[in-house]
Amino acid sequence: MVRTNIAVLGAQWGDEGKGKIVDMLTPHFSTVARYQGGHNAGHTVYVDGRKFVLHLIPSGILHPGVTCIIGNGVVVDPEALFKEVDELARLGTSVDGRLLVSEKAHVILPYHRELDVLSEARRGERKIGTTSRGIGPAYEDKVGRRGIRVCDLLGDREALATEVRENVSARNRIIKDSTLDWRPVFDQLVGHGERMKPWVADVSLVLHQTMAAGKSVMFEGAQATLLDIDHGTYPFVTSSNASVGGICTGLGVAPKAIGGVLGVAKAYTTRVGEGPLPTELTGELADRLRETGQEYGSSTGRPRRCGWYDAVVVRYSARINGLDAIALTKLDVLDGLPEVRICTGYQTPWGQVTEFPADLRVLAAAEPIYETLPGWTRPTKGATRIDELPAEARRYVARLEEVSGVACGLISTGSDRNETIITPGAAVERWTSA
Ligand code: IMP
């Protein structure tokens, strides 16, 4: 068991393969805690050839004895949570005594999804391409100070009735000619509270006690740095802080509790939803990456947009999050390509750019500046040691580390837990060898 608490988070636009990385590192931790997002996430894990997709519950739940925490920074759709708990039970995994939900987490109300879809329709051409899970509207209510928290479902009924009435009338003002009755919503929420009760806890206190007892915690990010509400490609982002800062606010832990940060990055780039993607490819090459990498959204099934590795993005992520190492995933997807490219900067009408710009007009007009390297014919698929990789693949990884400014502590060469290289001497080996 390691003593360092580490964060595992996305360094690009999400879907980097965090599920597998969290899953394989979990045996080294007593607790896995999620700090933001909701069931918009989709973490796919393969165990003994069986596929699990978890949306809300940390994938650490697949390991018996590990405690999984849903923090106050997460927005919880109780129905989605129950569905996941039931599905896990059906597959033989019980969450009893191992799942904790923050009493301060905000609840996604039944009509938040409807508001999400409506808001997208109203944006027309400027739509975000959300997952339609009601995530944005739930966070809007939280920041608008009319949200309903998990503890409210268990507290004074009169007070809950007042909150629900207020919230529903705010909704009715948004949706023209709508007269939704607050009472059925209230009844439903009371029922949800009853079922959630055994899991509800002061997770900040639990984490504090866990760490004080010398046990280690993994902080699991959802979405990714470029989808962060503050540091991502705003407004084409999710509505929470997916980058490292979200850990402190989303779980109630101090910055010094975070002993290391692992950024998960694909050996190329993908994105779902709208917004600029400077290295985006079209045509045959994009199709090939999409099919080989099975690049379809695990929550929505949408085809992901694919492009070359963008070192400007990962360098930026390294700065925002203080990355100690990269977990490089899906290297095997590039097997067999005649050449591979790395974007090291952008050419824009306003000059050359090497730092990630805030202004989306700059990003939309950015022409990637590429370095082209030879591809490899011998497969990397399934490699477990760095010296098993073809020389060209090693060179690609080494160059990618140089231009990103961070070492790869782990390289994933397939979807199974075993198809992984842990780089000798790098941070991941140190974290996992205590
Ligand atoms: P929302 O989080 O549903 O509001 O969607 C906002 C943006 O984040 C959209 O571009 C989504 O496609 C993207 N997004 C949300 N969750 C994920 C995820 O887990 N992986 C990748 N993209 C995501």
Side-chain angles (χ1 to χ4, degrees):
M1 187 78 61
V2 274
R3 292 279 171 263
T4 315
N5 306 315
I6 70 154
V8 178
L9 46 80
Q12 296 159 321
W13 275 278
D15 309 315
E16 296 93 348
K18 294 183 286 294
K20 167 180 163 171
I21 306 300
V22 169
D23 180 60
M24 43 164 308
L25 296 179
T26 295
H28 301 279
F29 296 85
S30 81
T31 304
V32 182
R34 253 195 74 179
Y35 55 93
Q36 47 69 234
H39 65 306
N40 48 348
H43 291 171
T44 308
V45 184
Y46 292 86
V47 185
D48 302 329
R50 281 201 300 169
K51 182 178 171 181
F52 296 82
V53 185
L54 291 154
H55 298 282
L56 196 51
I57 301 176
S59 35
I61 203 75
L62 299 169
H63 295 258
V66 172
T67 301
C68 286
I69 290 183
I70 295 178
N72 60 279
V74 176
V75 282
V76 179
D77 181 332
E79 286 179 16
L81 179 63
F82 302 149
K83 196 167 152 215
E84 220 158 280
V85 167
D86 293 343
E87 178 67 6
L88 282 166
R90 205 176 59 76
L91 296 165
T93 299
S94 165
V95 303
D96 288 345
R98 302 200 293 126
L99 175 66
L100 298 176
V101 180
S102 168
E103 54 194 359
K104 291 192 256 183
H106 279 248
V107 176
I108 299 184
L109 298 171
Y111 48 83
H112 278 144
R113 175 191 275 264
E114 188 189 359
L115 291 174
D116 198 349
V117 173
L118 186 73
S119 149
E120 284 283 84
R122 283 184 181 160
R123 289 182 69 96
E125 295 267 285
R126 294 165 49 252
K127 74 173 195 288
I128 310 292
T130 72
T131 59
S132 317
R133 300 285 200 268
I135 306 295
Y139 280 114
E140 278 177 45
D141 278 357
K142 173 178 177 175
V143 178
R145 293 167 293 188
R146 58 179 170 271
I148 290 172
R149 299 182 300 166
V150 168
C151 60
D152 301 330
L153 308 185
L154 307 172
D156 177 54
R157 295 273 159 98
E158 279 300 307
L160 177 63
T162 307
E163 290 303 324
V164 174
R165 224 173 16 235
E166 281 291 308
N167 203 293
V168 169
S169 61
R171 170 214 175 264
N172 286 346
R173 283 194 296 275
I174 297 172
I175 304 178
K176 206 167 151 242
D177 301 328
S178 175
T179 51
L180 180 72
D181 183 6
W182 64 272
R183 264 166 295 244
V185 178
F186 169 80
D187 292 340
Q188 202 180 8
L189 289 175
V190 170
H192 290 340
E194 288 300 318
R195 181 156 184 208
M196 284 169 78
K197 206 171 185 171
W199 309 326
V200 179
D202 178 344
V203 305
S204 164
L205 181 62
V206 171
L207 285 167
H208 181 81
Q209 290 165 341
T210 303
M211 296 185 285
K215 296 181 192 162
S216 53
V217 178
M218 183 179 352
F219 305 111
E220 176 181 334
Q223 291 84 49
T225 307
L226 275 293
L227 289 172
D228 183 285
I229 184 81
D230 284 284
H231 300 293
T233 44
Y234 189 90
F236 300 101
V237 291
T238 193
S239 301
S240 60
N241 286 115
S243 58
V244 76
I247 296 174
C248 297
T249 54
L251 285 164
V253 298
K256 60 188 175 198
I258 308 164
V261 187
L262 179 63
V264 187
K266 249 178 227 182
Y268 48 100
T269 310
T270 64
R271 168 167 210 177
V272 269
E274 307 300 320
L277 179 61
T279 62
E280 182 162 17
L281 294 165
T282 51
E284 243 175 67
L285 195 48
D287 293 344
R288 170 163 178 179
L289 289 176
R290 190 174 306 108
E291 291 315 312
T292 315
Q294 277 304 295
E295 298 296 355
Y296 294 91
S298 38
S299 287
T300 58
R302 290 180 291 176
R304 295 177 187 142
R305 299 155 66 194
C306 299
W308 293 117
Y309 184 90
D310 189 337
V312 182
V313 164
V314 180
R315 226 170 27 233
Y316 174 68
S317 277
R319 164 157 60 87
I320 297 287
N321 298 301
L323 297 186
D324 294 294
I326 290 175
L328 189 72
T329 58
K330 293 194 155 183
L331 182 64
D332 55 299
V333 172
L334 303 180
D335 287 356
L337 291 177
E339 58 178 37
V340 283
R341 290 180 162 195
I342 300 176
C343 167
T344 56
Y346 307 136
Q347 200 57 258
T348 80
W350 303 273
Q352 200 165 310
V353 170
T354 51
E355 296 299 333
F356 198 76
D359 187 340
L360 288 203
R361 278 177 318 156
V362 178
L363 208 55
E367 282 296 329
I369 300 166
Y370 284 121
E371 276 186 22
T372 303
L373 285 87
W376 48 92
T377 43
R378 198 158 55 78
T380 65
K381 170 96 179 120
T384 54
R385 286 199 334 262
I386 198 97
D387 56 15
E388 284 173 34
L389 297 179
E392 296 83 358
R394 283 207 302 271
R395 197 169 144 206
Y396 177 67
V397 172
R399 186 62 191 143
L400 186 149
E401 289 177 317
E402 267 168 24
V403 289
S404 309
V406 195
C408 291
L410 182 157
I411 302 167
S412 172
T413 57
S415 53
D416 205 76
R417 275 180 195 168
N418 304 324
E419 296 176 311
T420 308
I421 300 167
I422 306 273
T423 317
V428 179
E429 193 193 51
R430 283 200 309 279
W431 292 329
T432 55
S433 64

